[in-house]
Amino acid sequence: MSEPREVVERLQRCIRRDDRASVAELLAADGVVEWPFAVPGAPRRLEGREAFREFMARSAAASTLQLEDLRVVAIHETADPEVIVMETATCGTVTATGHHFELPAIAVLRVRGGEIVSWRDYVNTLARTQLTAESAS
Amino acid sequence: MSPRELFDRAHRLVRDYDVDGFAELFAPDAVMQYPFAPAGSPRRLEGQEAIRAFLATGVERARLSGRRIRGLGPVVVHETSDPEVIVVEFDQEEENTAAGRSRQVSFIQVIRVRDGRIVSYRDYMDYPALGELSAGFPPSDPVA
């Protein structure tokens, strides 16, 4: 199995355990995470595993969602052996209501030495905001 | 036409508001998907005619609201192990001339081309960013 595919599988295992702390460990020490669709107030770019670790710890602590699965809709291996594109759906439940959700997303990963050096994560911010609002109501 | 050439042509046509020309790049039974579309807006359109009709409405709204594409930033094309499929990332400088607002909007699209026609187009769009550009102009549709 290619290195990028292996990283996708490791990410899947983290999400299935709802283990957000371990997601941060997939990033290289100087890796970069970007959210091109970030809403105002949310980070658009984080540099380094340490910053990502802190971000994931905060997001896990504040989370109102129970993550259950990262369903792979499509994986695209690219002409660049380091780069993989994944179309996914993050599945889980809203803790407060038990309501099941599926959040589609697409991400472009660059993997080197088994670690993610660049992760561009395009997420559905509108659907995410609605889920958070649902938890609060 | 290669997937890359089709993307370039499609993008030029969108920029020129040429909906008919754009729709002609699609196979008759092509599928267009907007995986991030909000409730009330279609997530999936089947067939060239449905795609043309939907885009005609959207382009008319964009034109009425004064929204237009001012420029295209760097385009990253990922050729995939499937020769029919490319993934394209790009930024567009968009402005709303009526409201005097402009901003950069990011896009990522997965395009499948067969026999020189687009058979599948998945457009992951940043609806809040596009909505912000149109805000204040009726109808208040996030895609307008």
Side-chain angles (χ1 to χ4, degrees):
Chain A
M1 194 190 305
S2 72
E3 262 190 12
R5 267 189 191 265
E6 231 166 80
V7 166
V8 170
E9 291 210 345
R10 277 159 63 200
L11 175 63
Q12 241 175 344
R13 286 199 291 273
C14 294
I15 301 297
R16 284 178 183 152
R17 294 194 308 266
D18 199 1
D19 179 2
R20 282 172 246 199
S22 297
V23 172
E25 304 310 316
L26 300 176
L27 194 71
D30 58 353
V32 173
V33 185
E34 289 167 280
W35 292 277
F37 290 177
V39 291
R44 187 166 283 264
R45 180 186 168 93
L46 284 180
E47 285 182 36
R49 188 195 296 140
E50 200 43 51
F52 190 41
R53 229 179 234 152
E54 282 169 26
F55 173 81
M56 289 307 279
R58 270 200 313 275
S59 109
S63 180
T64 54
L65 310 176
Q66 180 77 35
L67 305 185
E68 285 151 14
D69 193 13
L70 182 72
R71 193 161 56 76
V72 170
V73 178
I75 291 272
H76 307 282
E77 283 182 340
T78 73
D80 184 334
E82 289 186 343
V83 176
I84 200 165
V85 180
M86 57 174 186
E87 295 179 83
T88 58
T90 301
C91 312
T93 50
V94 178
T95 314
T97 62
H99 170 220
H100 183 79
F101 66 84
E102 281 198 18
L103 282 174
I106 180 167
V108 181
L109 301 178
R110 179 178 289 276
V111 174
R112 200 173 293 153
E115 295 179 320
I116 301 171
V117 292
S118 162
W119 185 347
R120 273 197 302 286
D121 197 11
Y122 295 83
V123 296
N124 187 347
T125 53
L126 210 58
R128 250 230 95 117
T129 308
Q130 276 158 5
L131 282 179
T132 311
E134 184 186 318
S135 307
S137 66
Chain B
M1 243 187 299
S2 72
R4 171 72 210 238
E5 286 165 334
L6 262 169
F7 169 79
D8 287 339
R9 181 174 292 200
H11 198 271
R12 221 169 22 248
L13 292 164
V14 167
R15 205 172 155 173
D16 294 342
Y17 293 125
D18 184 350
V19 172
D20 291 336
F22 181 77
E24 274 164 30
L25 302 178
F26 286 76
D29 58 350
V31 174
M32 180 86 168
Q33 285 166 283
Y34 301 102
F36 289 176
S41 190
R43 289 238 160 102
R44 183 186 172 90
L45 299 167
E46 286 184 37
Q48 188 193 46
E49 187 42 38
I51 294 167
R52 196 200 61 76
F54 177 72
L55 290 173
T57 318
V59 161
E60 191 51 26
R61 275 201 304 257
R63 205 204 304 259
L64 284 173
S65 72
R67 205 186 94 207
R68 66 179 197 97
I69 301 164
R70 201 162 61 180
L72 179 65
V75 178
V76 181
V77 176
H78 304 280
E79 310 265 354
T80 74
S81 53
D82 184 335
E84 291 185 344
V85 177
I86 56 169
V87 180
V88 189
E89 297 176 271
F90 60 96
D91 290 331
Q92 232 165 232
E93 187 64 26
E94 302 213 9
E95 69 178 347
N96 184 326
T97 46
R101 275 195 293 268
S102 73
R103 66 164 290 167
Q104 192 170 285
V105 184
S106 298
F107 291 83
I108 181 165
Q109 301 172 339
V110 181
I111 303 167
R112 180 181 289 276
V113 170
R114 195 173 296 150
D115 300 327
R117 291 278 194 80
I118 298 168
V119 291
S120 161
Y121 202 114
R122 276 200 293 285
D123 194 352
Y124 290 82
M125 290 203 287
D126 185 352
Y127 287 86
L130 293 168
E132 189 193 299
L133 271 172
S134 310
F137 190 90
S140 60
D141 182 322
V143 209

